[in-house]
Amino acid sequence: MNDLVAKPAPLAGADLDHALDSLAARVEWFTHHLDDADRDTWARLLDRDGPDWLGHRRDLHHLAIDTVYTAEKPA
């Protein structure tokens, strides 16, 4: 079963928080593949108190697909 999440721009409130938290988690997962300049850039983009924070943008949207696998145990 697939669950499509599509939130149009501009994101606000819980939708914005969820999108940026999800993005921050992905950056964290792959941080060891990034060079110092890329890590610094992502840090600036995800810093809520900074001038470059992605949450200031009005063109952000969130599109995701969550897949859930289910099965039945044989009787």
Side-chain angles (χ1 to χ4, degrees):
M1 176 174 66
N2 294 317
D3 184 27
L4 176 66
V5 177
K7 302 289 182 170
L11 294 176
D15 291 335
L16 178 61
D17 291 341
H18 178 72
L20 293 179
D21 289 345
S22 178
L23 181 57
R26 284 167 176 74
V27 170
E28 181 66 28
W29 295 339
F30 295 104
T31 193
H32 60 282
H33 294 290
L34 302 175
D35 63 23
D36 290 340
D38 288 337
R39 278 192 289 277
D40 291 344
T41 299
W42 278 113
R44 279 195 336 271
L45 293 172
L46 295 171
D47 178 7
R48 291 179 182 267
D49 296 323
D52 298 322
W53 181 51
L54 286 174
H56 295 307
R57 297 186 58 102
R58 306 311 316 149
D59 59 349
L60 287 181
H61 66 278
H62 185 166
L63 179 64
I65 298 175
D66 294 324
T67 302
V68 177
Y69 298 95
T70 60
E72 291 184 21
K73 185 175 180 179

